[in-house]
Amino acid sequence: MNLIVFLAGAVRSILATGALLLTLARFHPALPLVILATAVPQALLSFRMQNDAFELLVWKTPEARRMRYYSSVMLTDAYAKEVRIGDLSRLFLDLYKSTFDRLFAATKGLRFRQLRASAGVAALGVAGTAVAFGWVLLGIVAGEVTAGGLMLFVQALLLTQQNVGQIVENSAMLYGTLLYMEKLMDFLDARPLIADTGRLPVPDGLPGEIQFQGVSFAYPGGREVLHNVTFTLRPGEVVALVGENGAGKTTIVKLLARFYDPTAGAILVGGRDLREYDLASWRRSLAVVFQDFARFQLSARLNIGVGALEHADDLDRIRRAAEQGGADEVIARLPQQYETLLGKHFEGGVDLSGGEWQKIALSRAFLKDAANVVLDEPTAALDPRSEYEIYQRFAELVKGKTVLLISHRLSAVRMADRILVLDRGRIVEEGSHEELMRAGGLYAQMYRMQAERYADQPVTAERAP
Ligand SMILES: Nc1ncnc2c1ncn2[C@@H]1O[C@H](COP(=O)(O)OP(=O)(O)OP(=O)(O)O)[C@@H](O)[C@H]1O
Ligand SMILES: [Mg+2]
């Protein structure tokens, strides 16, 4: 819109100015030149100002984002405890203020430079007008200009200056708009991380084996975090993935969900490259409990319902999912049960404990009833009894589904059909619990370390679920 408005404005003013300059030339042939000469610095300055304003905007955008972050830390419940216990409000206030001061100083500097330059240009304009009037006065004194002529002159001069001003303003605004357009075009040209071009629908039921074939992956701009990873999830199988912090387990989940594509190798589903499948239909076939699951400031019903929006109004289904995820008891205690608003962002909201939230997140995955289930540390916050109950029923809960279970709790991992051990981005061991214990490698070492910690306790690792 701006492009059209400013371009049309500039063209209109140029036509009007042309006609007016012809009128003024009748008084003295040099008059149009004087007026145009005074307009040049005005034009240069306007373009400079547009440029400076644009550069300031580009520079201050990340700074402004920083300020928003600092203020959100002081205003968001998720940070409140640590901000208060560490008395961090001073720190964040100071960070906010110093960023603000930098922004303010830069803006103020620009405005003062603009003011000084504008004053200079205005003085030049006044001088030009004075010269023009001087000419005409001389003409009157010499009896060459009549009263009517003077009227015409004054009108023409004022209109010319007005129109020249508009030419300058419109073309400067046009220039400014083009600067923004360039950024917009850059943004529109940005390539998505993954191509959403696959059209193959994912068949209902189990879509066959999921195979990682020589998959390597580096986050954009980062080092490689998965190296030549190869493994297979067979339909209906429960496979556990274990490994130390930063080994790349969650990264494998993100590749499975196609938030990213592998940088080398391929993920095959039913023998076809995952990229050939329709993305939405693939994601519908996949239920994921993320390690850092979301806590929606919505009703308990919707908090589970977001797992499969088509069932969000089916309270029977939601109840069943809540039972499976262990959230039913939690919700039964809430003041309005399933219609209770969760979270503290809005009035009347009720907050849950960490483990209670995790039960909601688990129930969300069960609502989806997807063929493939990925659980990334699904019980990390659950108490021993809740965790025990979940894993007791686990086989029944995931019956007929392909499951990838990530857990540091190796007692829970034991019941998987197969265990994959990931070490710094490489699969280093694969087998059943017994096989891996016999092999005496990384898994056996991790398992013994955890079991040892329990050995002092009344309950031994062997008896834990
Ligand atoms: N969004 C990201 N951008 C860049 N690097 C990342 C990103 N997420 C993770 N990484 C890096 O990738 C590596 C693997 O991370 P990942 O989250 O897969 O580990 P993990 O095995 O799930 O660990 P944990 O047991 O702590 O959950 C880490 O070294 C991390 O620094
Ligand atoms: Mg992880």
Side-chain angles (χ1 to χ4, degrees), residues 169-431:
E169 196 180 305
N170 279 316
S171 50
M173 299 291 262
L174 196 62
Y175 171 67
T177 305
L178 287 173
L179 291 175
Y180 289 95
M181 290 286 289
E182 202 186 328
K183 286 270 172 216
L184 176 66
M185 292 303 167
D186 283 353
F187 174 69
L188 292 178
D189 279 345
R191 317 243 346 118
L193 281 173
I194 56 154
D196 180 13
T197 50
R199 288 292 159 262
L200 207 61
V202 176
D204 280 342
L206 291 178
E209 287 187 345
I210 300 174
Q211 292 170 289
F212 273 58
Q213 279 194 337
V215 169
S216 296
F217 179 70
Y219 284 99
R223 65 192 165 83
E224 198 175 272
V225 293
L226 290 179
H227 318 286
N228 196 17
V229 169
T230 299
F231 65 86
T232 302
L233 307 179
R234 296 186 201 102
E237 204 182 21
V238 176
V239 174
L241 180 61
V242 301
E244 293 176 355
N245 293 135
K249 303 180 297 297
T250 300
T251 306
I252 286 179
V253 177
K254 290 191 232 172
L255 291 181
L256 255 181
R258 274 206 82 200
F259 298 145
Y260 303 93
D261 282 332
T263 33
I267 302 170
L268 304 186
V269 175
R272 304 285 290 264
D273 195 309
L274 187 54
R275 285 169 280 210
E276 291 176 37
Y277 287 97
D278 173 63
L279 184 60
S281 121
W282 168 245
R283 287 193 182 149
R284 269 198 301 279
S285 79
L286 190 68
V288 185
V289 176
F290 290 102
Q291 190 172 18
D292 52 351
F293 55 85
R295 302 171 178 207
F296 293 103
Q297 312 282 314
L298 297 168
S299 68
R301 177 177 61 77
L302 261 181
N303 252 292
I304 296 174
V306 289
L309 277 180
E310 64 274 25
H311 303 314
D313 292 323
D314 185 344
L315 196 57
D316 285 338
R317 255 191 112 119
I318 297 229
R319 270 181 215 282
R320 227 175 311 136
E323 248 166 62
Q324 293 174 322
D328 54 335
E329 289 173 26
V330 176
I331 295 171
R333 288 195 297 267
L334 294 174
Q336 288 112 45
Q337 286 77 44
Y338 281 85
E339 292 313 317
T340 311
L341 179 64
L342 300 189
K344 277 291 186 191
H345 282 209
F346 305 108
E347 205 167 318
V350 176
D351 210 352
L352 300 180
S353 75
E356 289 170 337
W357 272 114
Q358 190 161 38
K359 289 175 183 175
I360 300 266
L362 255 173
S363 307
R364 200 180 287 159
F366 287 123
L367 181 74
K368 193 159 181 181
D369 195 21
N372 305 300
V373 178
V374 177
L375 305 167
D376 194 352
E377 290 290 345
T379 57
L382 298 198
D383 61 65
R385 187 176 62 83
S386 304
E387 185 172 41
Y388 180 82
E389 282 171 5
I390 291 274
Y391 286 117
Q392 276 288 304
R393 293 183 294 137
F394 198 73
E396 170 207 337
L397 287 174
V398 300
K399 197 161 165 223
K401 296 174 191 293
T402 310
V403 181
L404 183 66
L405 168 68
I406 298 173
S407 182
H408 292 299
R409 218 72 66 89
L410 298 184
S411 51
V413 159
R414 286 184 64 162
M415 52 92 212
D417 298 316
R418 221 143 35 86
I419 300 166
L420 304 168
V421 184
L422 194 65
D423 183 27
R424 281 166 291 177
R426 288 192 171 78
I427 300 278
V428 291
E429 288 168 37
E430 179 174 351

Side-chain angles (χ1 to χ4, degrees), residues 64-142:
R65 195 178 305 143
R66 232 183 273 279
M67 277 168 60
R68 269 203 301 282
Y69 170 71
Y70 297 143
S71 85
S72 78
V73 168
M74 289 183 286
L75 297 173
T76 311
D77 56 352
Y79 299 104
K81 293 191 291 294
E82 299 203 28
V83 166
R84 295 176 77 183
I85 196 75
D87 200 9
L88 305 182
S89 51
R90 202 22 55 212
L91 168 73
F92 282 99
L93 209 57
D94 285 347
L95 284 169
Y96 183 92
K97 271 193 64 189
S98 60
T99 314
F100 174 83
D101 288 342
R102 268 203 310 280
L103 272 183
F104 184 68
T107 311
K108 198 167 77 172
L110 176 70
R111 295 279 177 253
F112 271 108
R113 281 199 307 284
Q114 287 177 341
L115 183 68
R116 275 197 300 275
S118 307
V121 167
L124 205 64
V126 170
T129 313
V131 169
F133 267 100
W135 280 112
V136 159
L137 277 181
L138 289 177
I140 292 173
V141 172

Side-chain angles (χ1 to χ4, degrees), residues 21 24-25 27-36 131-132 135-136 153 157:
L21 287 178
L24 286 174
F27 291 93
H28 194 284
L31 270 179
L33 292 179
V34 172
I35 290 175
L36 286 180
V131 169
W135 280 112
V136 159
F153 174 79
L157 188 67

